[in-house]
Amino acid sequence: MQNAATCATDTRTSPVEDCQLYIDGTWRESASGDRMETVDPTTESVVTTVAKGGKDDVEAAIAAARRRADDAEWARMPAPERQGLMMTVADIVERHADDFARCETLDMGKPIQFARSIDAVLLADLFRFFGAAAADPDGDARTVSPPPDHAARQVMSVREPVGVVAAITPFNFPLLLSATKIAPAMAAGNTIVHKPASATPLSAVRLAMAFEEAGVPAGVYNLVTGPGSEIGDTLVTHSDVDKIAFTGSTGVGKGIIAKSADTVKKVTMELGGKSAHIIFADADMNSAVQNAIFGIFYNKGEICTAGSRLLVERSALEEVLAALVAAASALVIGDPLDAATFLGPMADEGQLKKVESYVRKGREAGADLRYGGERAEPEGLGGKGWFHQPTIFLGTNDMAIAQEEIFGPVLAVIPFDDEAEAIRIANDTTFGLASGVQTTDMAKALRVANALKAGTCWINSYNYFDVSVPFGGVKQSGFGRECGRQALENYTQTKSIWLPSIAEAAS
């Protein structure tokens, strides 16, 4: 396995320091005065400390968001003005893209090549796309003749903001999976309380700085960093929070749904996945293998769409396995601040131990380990860092490594004999987030894509995203869509306004 060179130590300085809570347009320490450390998973050393918010702080953030939502100044702001603010945020993100990228890399080990070229770019795109959507709200008007008088009347249907939105976001794409909630919520005129993952808060602090610089009104965006057990529970159960937008594990999502029921909140869930990626024997094998490698090892496998179940037509199985092993062995693993690195460390030690536990489960179940399976120790890091080798098993679909979300660089390869069996195996899971099909037969590709029970299907590609394309899952991968104009439906509610008849208006 290749190793990236170690970066100069000065590049490990956090782009944000003295990280406080951002509530009602002001930076403040937590009510308790407590702080928590955020740790670099590459060096296992403290990057900086951030305010450790608690119940009093999230109550203050909710109150600020509620006041701003209820005074209607933000919701009724002329669309061009709100659009202008969001475009300004996008401009600030582009100017400081390196800061945002380094926050992601230092906080969760995302290779800088991806943090800069994908995450920071899409972050700006999200605010531009939804800024434009803010200036083009949906609504309609129609003429009806209802009983009992059957007089012609006009009815307007208008979309209004839901109010206060709680965005609870994960550690694996801290920037993007925050912005996929915050940008459409802002575009629709809502106010936000943001609880980022406690392990990766730095980019959220940097985003709050961008909102402040852009002149986003106080109370529109509020940031509370701290433990989910206290902050998250308060947001989920609070009567002044109108909507929860969550990305995370299916287990946690189910708990949020249950806890939010008493206040009948509007809820959207982007949950786990165990996505099937299918390679047919007629595929362009070079391209198919590269797509499979990117499908599972991009972002160290810490991605909900990971093509972690690779279904391979039996006649091509050994050819594909040999190519996968060759490609995996060529991946550069090392310091994510090095531009050559493809695989950085797991986001924290707990994730590394989880990956190791699933590798043990795979071995114990009799899966055939073809590559990897151990911790990695890149050169120049002194044995530090929560690194794991890219790992490839040959197994069956009933194994834990093929049924449970690992969230790491572990691939389960599963053979099939024909198209019908591939579809059956692919759909034999509780999840339904993403899928992929590799074949040169486009008729077959479309048949299979339409038969797969998943919110996304990539044909002869994998892990492609665009802010204009709706994204979300089916089955236990969640409900609701992020990105695209469909996302605005999650952050608005429809009101119908009946106008007087012409006769009534004239009298």
Side-chain angles (χ1 to χ4, degrees), residues 209-226:
M209 294 167 61
F211 290 143
E212 182 181 42
E213 182 180 347
V216 173
V220 169
Y221 174 82
N222 304 274
L223 171 65
V224 184
T225 52

Side-chain angles (χ1 to χ4, degrees), residues 313-370:
E313 193 163 3
R314 198 176 300 274
S315 62
L317 181 62
E318 289 304 326
E319 176 189 358
V320 170
L321 281 167
L324 286 170
V325 168
S329 65
L331 296 176
V332 177
I333 182 169
D335 189 335
L337 281 171
D338 190 297
T341 293
F342 185 91
L343 274 170
M346 306 309 296
D348 59 33
E349 188 175 18
Q351 279 300 120
L352 175 60
K353 290 180 177 179
K354 180 181 178 184
V355 170
E356 291 179 310
S357 74
Y358 273 101
V359 171
R360 285 195 297 273
K361 288 181 182 180
R363 284 174 162 149
E364 291 166 359
D368 181 5
L369 179 64
R370 292 299 185 97

Side-chain angles (χ1 to χ4, degrees), residues 34-341:
D34 292 341
R35 297 185 72 78
M36 61 184 189
E37 296 175 342
T38 181
V39 177
D40 183 342
T42 302
T43 63
E44 302 178 39
S45 59
V46 175
V47 178
T48 188
T49 63
V50 300
K52 185 178 181 181
K55 190 173 188 300
D56 290 343
D57 303 300
V58 74
E59 290 275 3
I62 293 169
R66 182 81 268 163
R67 284 193 300 273
R68 178 59 69 183
D70 288 347
D71 72 16
E73 181 181 341
W74 170 248
R76 294 177 183 169
M77 176 182 286
E81 189 175 343
R82 189 183 305 123
Q83 179 185 25
L85 281 172
M86 295 183 70
M87 297 299 181
T88 300
V89 171
D91 291 342
I92 293 169
V93 167
E94 286 187 336
R95 277 203 310 274
H96 299 285
D98 290 337
D99 280 359
F100 284 103
R102 284 178 58 224
C103 281
E104 302 295 76
T105 298
L106 291 173
D107 232 5
M108 66 81 59
K110 185 186 299 289
I112 194 72
Q113 63 163 309
F114 300 128
R116 182 63 183 84
S117 65
I118 297 176
D119 297 56
V121 171
L122 289 177
L123 179 65
D125 287 350
L126 279 162
F127 283 97
R128 287 219 166 84
F129 179 83
F130 284 107
D136 184 25
D138 286 334
D140 59 39
R142 67 196 66 191
T143 301
V144 298
S145 300
D149 61 4
H150 297 277
R153 299 171 184 271
Q154 280 207 323
V155 183
M156 296 190 303
S157 294
V158 297
R159 299 195 73 89
E160 299 180 334
V162 297
V164 176
V165 173
I168 303 175
T169 57
F171 70 84
N172 61 322
F173 283 82
L175 269 177
L176 290 184
L177 294 178
S178 297
T180 55
K181 298 158 185 60
I182 294 165
M186 290 179 65
N190 298 283
T191 59
I192 301 111
V193 179
H194 182 197
K195 192 275 177 228
S198 54
T200 54
L202 295 183
S203 60
V205 175
R206 188 64 189 84
L207 187 59
M209 294 167 61
F211 290 143
E212 182 181 42
E213 182 180 347
V216 173
V220 169
Y221 174 82
N222 304 274
L223 171 65
V224 184
T225 52
S229 56
E230 188 171 359
I231 296 172
D233 282 354
T234 302
L235 288 169
V236 169
T237 59
H238 204 289
S239 60
D240 277 339
V241 174
D242 301 297
K243 176 190 164 54
I244 304 291
F246 172 75
T247 294
S249 72
T250 296
V252 174
K254 289 178 179 179
I256 290 174
I257 294 168
K259 290 175 183 178
S260 68
D262 283 345
T263 49
V264 196
K265 297 190 193 307
K266 193 178 180 78
V267 179
T268 48
M269 293 277 134
E270 200 266 278
L271 305 177
K274 196 66 184 176
S275 300
H277 191 180
I278 304 170
I279 297 180
F280 287 96
D282 65 359
D284 177 332
M285 284 304 167
N286 288 333
S287 174
V289 168
Q290 289 305 311
N291 288 332
I293 289 290
F294 192 68
I296 180 59
F297 299 132
Y298 169 55
N299 207 49
K300 311 156 288 171
E302 291 176 325
I303 178 169
C304 51
T305 59
S308 52
R309 290 186 301 147
L310 187 67
L311 281 54
V312 180
E313 193 163 3
R314 198 176 300 274
S315 62
L317 181 62
E318 289 304 326
E319 176 189 358
V320 170
L321 281 167
L324 286 170
V325 168
S329 65
L331 296 176
V332 177
I333 182 169
D335 189 335
L337 281 171
D338 190 297
T341 293

